Amino acid sequence: MSALHLIRHGTIAELRLDNPSKLNAFTTEMLRSLETHCAELDRDDTVSAVVITAEESRAFCAGADIKAWAELEPWEFARYWVREGHRVFDRLARLSKPTIAALNGHAFGGGLEFAATADIRTMAPEATLALPEAGVGIVPGWSGTQRLVRLLGEPLVKEMALLGRRINAERAYAAGFVAEISDDPRTAALAIAEGLSDKSKRSIEAAKYMIHAAVGEDRDATIETLAAGMVAPTTDRDEGVSAFREKRKPNFPGR
């Protein structure tokens, strides 16, 4: 059984890490479950927001389980572990629903990259952020040097990735990475999610796509998705489909 669960609270969905004995570190099974849950959530129009949480431990997520990748051949590590994990995290970042991550503890390595996929973050005052990969002879592999740089900025990410420094909640808040510091980040995240429940789902989805396009997140798909949304309700589209089915030349009305 995977240690990543999808739990529903009415219109709010919760993605919960549940691997506390390993500080909620990611395993292969957890990555597969995350991909499955993302596909399900994208197609569920009853969901207004997704809250990302973790079972109580000293860490929100300590990153990737070293046992899951340490014995892999170099080509397997690069092609499967890094590339597939990157793809799954991209899937979560580009979810059509707004996402709020509740950092109840430390977020290191892949755990920080996981938190970076969310649209909004809350954080416990004692939690810290770190990219410790250089200490075990690897580099960030799930967008720690890409998406995280866009969110935190080059200097701060270099402090973590090159110098091994931890960033506390106050600095994360000052950098805009965290929306709220709370003694109960999960409750704070759920409150944010509740505040989204009476907003237009389509407006929020379109706004998320446009903002992502502005920073280069899935820009190509965003442009084509929004353009498709413009032409889908037109009479021209209806005429084109009818003409195709009736095997005749279309007569587009231009509206």
Side-chain angles (χ1 to χ4, degrees):
M1 182 177 180
S2 173
L4 194 152
H5 313 301
L6 175 59
I7 305 160
R8 299 183 183 263
H9 311 282
T11 63
I12 298 172
E14 183 177 357
L15 283 171
R16 183 184 298 170
L17 300 175
D18 185 14
N19 192 15
S21 65
K22 294 189 176 182
L23 301 179
N24 294 317
F26 265 92
T27 63
T28 302
E29 291 74 20
M30 290 166 72
L31 285 173
R32 289 172 180 163
S33 291
L34 179 58
E35 186 168 29
T36 298
H37 294 327
C38 284
E40 180 180 343
L41 288 167
D42 247 340
R43 289 166 174 76
D44 189 344
D45 207 38
T46 67
V47 174
S48 60
V50 179
V51 175
I52 300 168
T53 65
E55 282 297 324
E56 290 299 324
S57 75
R58 290 170 295 159
F60 164 73
C61 179
D65 183 359
I66 291 181
K67 290 184 178 179
W69 57 262
E71 301 304 318
L72 295 175
E73 294 291 333
W75 66 273
E76 291 179 307
F77 175 71
R79 289 180 60 195
Y80 299 145
W81 182 255
V82 175
R83 192 169 180 83
E84 288 190 9
H86 204 292
R87 176 178 54 79
V88 174
F89 277 23
D90 283 351
R91 185 77 164 84
L92 177 60
R94 297 164 187 175
L95 201 67
S96 59
K97 313 296 190 295
T99 54
I100 306 101
L103 279 61
N104 61 306
H106 306 308
F108 296 161
L112 175 53
E113 292 164 320
F114 181 53
T117 66
D119 299 311
I120 299 168
R121 284 158 289 276
T122 62
M123 187 173 177
E126 69 278 5
T128 60
L129 313 176
L131 291 172
E133 285 86 353
V136 289
I138 59 172
V139 295
W142 292 343
S143 208
T145 63
Q146 306 301 310
R147 181 178 297 116
L148 200 60
V149 170
R150 294 196 294 269
L151 293 171
L152 274 170
E154 176 191 352
L156 210 53
V157 173
K158 280 181 175 176
E159 277 192 45
M160 290 188 285
L162 306 185
L163 305 179
R165 289 180 179 170
R166 294 188 184 188
I167 303 302
N168 63 23
E170 287 76 14
R171 287 194 73 188
Y173 178 79
F177 185 70
V178 172
E180 186 175 338
I181 299 174
S182 172
D183 290 329
D184 189 347
R186 179 177 178 273
T187 296
L190 286 169
I192 293 171
E194 285 286 353
L196 292 166
S197 62
D198 62 349
K199 305 293 190 302
S200 165
K201 293 178 183 176
R202 295 291 76 82
S203 295
I204 289 174
E205 180 180 358
K208 177 172 176 174
Y209 289 159
M210 290 188 294
I211 294 166
H212 276 190
V215 296
E217 179 76 67
D218 205 25
R219 179 178 291 153
D220 294 347
T222 293
I223 290 170
E224 294 182 355
T225 297
L226 295 177
M230 289 177 63
V231 301
T234 63
T235 306
D236 275 2
R237 174 189 177 272
D238 294 340
E239 168 61 12
V241 172
S242 295
F244 176 80
R245 288 173 175 169
E246 296 165 10
K247 299 181 179 179
R248 60 175 173 82
K249 184 178 179 179
N251 180 25
F252 295 119
R255 59 182 186 276

